[in-house]
Amino acid sequence: MGINSEGLQRNAGRLTQPRAVWAVAFACVISFMGLGLVDPILPAIGKQLHATPSQVSLLFSSYNLVTGIAMLVTGFISSRIGMKWTMMTGTALIVLFALMGGMSGSIEQLVGFRAGWGLGNALFIATALSAIVGLSVRGSAKAVILYEAALGLGISVGPLLGGELGSISWRGPFFGVGALMAIAFISIGLLMPRVPKQKSRASLADPFKALRHPGLLVLAITAFLYNFGFFTLMAYTPFVMNLDEHGLGYVFFGWGLLLAFTSVFVAPRLQKRFGSIRSMSAALLLFALTLLVMGIWTSSQITMILAVIIAGAFLGTNNTLITTAVMEAAPVERSTASAAYSFVRFIGGALAPWLAGKLAEWYNPHVPFYVGALFVVVAVAIVIFGRNYLTNVDMASAGH
């Protein structure tokens, strides 16, 4: 009985957060649903707009490129107009460009509107993470877990809704994102109190200065490389599984469920027992192995489905570990560290989808997975060779 009581108290403690944290987390769930909503309709977009997989993959490339570049100014803007208004501005931009995307008449228009969506995404997610961490009363590690849980929940539920709306029309998910982000906009406006502005205003040079810290630079390069595997799975796999919108929705729902579960329950346990660096390296190696399996058995539908779902476990684990590490990697403002890291990471996310599509066109459907696996293995090597710069990360995680 005592054990059950102790467990209930521990779980209740995890839920003890200010209202502002829950408001932002709720908005994050809806925001990340936007990413998963689009995935099941990628082949349909290609057919309806007469576009090749590499052209459709530019939906991710333009989005990630603008998100990454805009990350450099998020701290500059947030320190002047405040976290709340920065997030509301970003949310409003997502609503606008998602709706315009749904009315696109060509792949070029759609790619352009996704770029505008990326601007809104940058303003929202960089500020949302620092807001959750800054307002949390449970420490940065548990705040990051909450953020990753919101990410996983949004990504897992998004494909289900995207599959349903996409089976009606490929435009449906874009309008769905617009409606959901309008709800997020209202929830932030009503539920989140005005957060005091930073005492010191951030400069445009701050993210670049932050990357001078070797630990943060190691993690940023790791994420840059790892994103080649991540977005090969996200942007290219739907074209080779030969599933309709409903089928893709169910597969990525399973992927997102495992991602969310491991983010919240597995990553913290591994971090505590083995440390962040060893756990991160193991998760990335297992992800690289999964990509290798996908490359070998690309023509096996059941293998591809199982591999995508299983990959969610390794991605969820790594996402929590590396995001937590970034918060502790450099003696700078968390929002600045997040912006610097995300800038480098999203540049990789911009190149990877286009490269995956082109590799398939130049060679064959197997090659994108081999190349993605290679990039992830190099990411592991960067972590291992740079571990001396990350000793404070494991010390901080042990403290949590």
Side-chain angles (χ1 to χ4, degrees):
M1 196 72 173
I3 295 175
N4 289 339
S5 175
E6 183 180 325
L8 288 172
Q9 290 177 359
R10 187 163 57 247
N11 288 333
R14 288 174 180 167
L15 298 175
T16 304
Q17 295 284 8
R19 185 179 66 170
V21 171
W22 290 112
V24 177
F26 170 73
C28 284
V29 171
I30 299 175
S31 172
F32 291 123
M33 283 180 71
L35 180 63
L37 270 168
V38 178
D39 227 40
I41 59 169
L42 294 179
I45 290 174
K47 291 177 182 177
Q48 294 294 321
L49 297 182
H50 309 292
T52 64
S54 63
Q55 289 175 317
V56 175
S57 72
L58 291 176
L59 295 177
F60 286 94
S61 295
S62 64
Y63 173 86
N64 287 329
L65 179 63
V66 174
T67 296
I69 295 173
M71 283 290 179
L72 297 174
V73 301
T74 54
F76 179 86
I77 294 172
S78 179
S79 65
R80 284 160 175 77
I81 68 175
M83 284 186 179
K84 181 174 180 177
W85 280 109
T86 303
M87 280 192 287
M88 292 185 71
T89 301
T91 306
L93 287 172
I94 294 173
V95 172
L96 173 64
F97 285 106
L99 294 176
M100 292 176 72
M103 294 184 284
S104 297
S106 67
I107 191 66
E108 291 80 13
Q109 287 181 357
L110 194 52
V111 168
F113 292 138
R114 278 285 283 181
W117 188 337
L119 174 60
N121 181 63
L123 292 173
F124 177 80
I125 63 172
T127 314
L129 176 57
S130 58
I132 287 178
V133 173
L135 296 171
S136 173
V137 295
R138 299 287 296 162
S140 63
K142 289 184 173 60
V144 168
I145 291 170
L146 178 60
Y147 176 81
E148 292 295 339
L151 184 153
L153 182 60
I155 286 180
S156 62
V157 175
L160 284 180
L161 186 58
E164 293 299 321
L165 295 175
S167 65
I168 302 170
S169 167
W170 69 263
R171 301 177 189 275
F174 287 91
F175 294 132
V177 169
L180 288 170
M181 289 308 292
I183 296 173
F185 178 86
I186 295 170
S187 72
I188 295 172
L190 294 179
L191 299 178
M192 184 178 176
R194 188 181 297 275
V195 180
K197 298 177 185 177
Q198 293 176 207
K199 293 181 180 178
S200 59
R201 291 189 173 187
S203 77
L204 294 175
D206 285 349
F208 295 105
K209 292 178 181 177
L211 288 172
R212 294 176 184 172
H213 296 280
L216 184 61
L217 182 60
V218 165
L219 293 173
I221 294 173
T222 300
F224 171 87
L225 295 167
Y226 145 76
N227 258 359
F228 278 85
F230 181 89
F231 279 100
T232 295
L233 185 142
M234 283 291 290
Y236 175 67
T237 304
F239 291 101
V240 296
M241 281 196 285
N242 296 315
L243 293 170
D244 62 11
E245 291 84 357
H246 288 292
L248 289 171
Y250 289 129
V251 170
F252 280 97
F253 172 66
W255 171 80
L257 279 182
L258 267 184
L259 188 147
F261 179 81
T262 54
S263 293
V264 177
F265 298 105
V266 177
R269 292 174 184 269
L270 292 175
Q271 184 186 53
K272 186 175 181 180
R273 183 167 182 178
F274 301 108
S276 295
I277 307 309
R278 289 168 65 185
S279 300
M280 192 189 309
S281 299
L284 288 175
L285 278 176
L286 289 170
F287 177 45
L289 181 62
T290 305
L291 289 171
L292 180 61
V293 168
M294 295 171 76
I296 297 171
W297 287 285
T298 308
S299 58
S300 170
Q301 188 182 61
I302 187 65
T303 301
M304 295 298 289
I305 291 171
L306 290 174
V308 168
I309 294 172
I310 291 170
F314 310 133
L315 295 173
T317 299
N318 180 71
N319 284 351
T320 293
L321 292 170
I322 198 168
T323 306
T324 305
V326 167
M327 295 295 103
E328 309 292 346
V332 298
E333 289 282 343
R334 289 190 174 105
S335 58
T336 302
S338 176
Y341 159 79
S342 295
F343 164 67
V344 179
R345 173 171 65 108
F346 277 108
I347 296 302
L351 295 172
W354 175 84
L355 179 63
K358 279 297 181 183
L359 287 172
E361 292 173 14
W362 293 334
Y363 302 103
N364 60 63
H366 305 265
V367 173
F369 297 108
Y370 295 142
V371 174
L374 178 62
F375 272 104
V376 177
V377 170
V378 176
V380 176
I382 294 294
V383 172
I384 293 173
F385 285 119
R387 64 186 182 277
N388 290 337
Y389 298 113
L390 300 170
T391 51
N392 62 314
V393 170
D394 272 333
M395 289 173 62
S397 64
H400 294 299

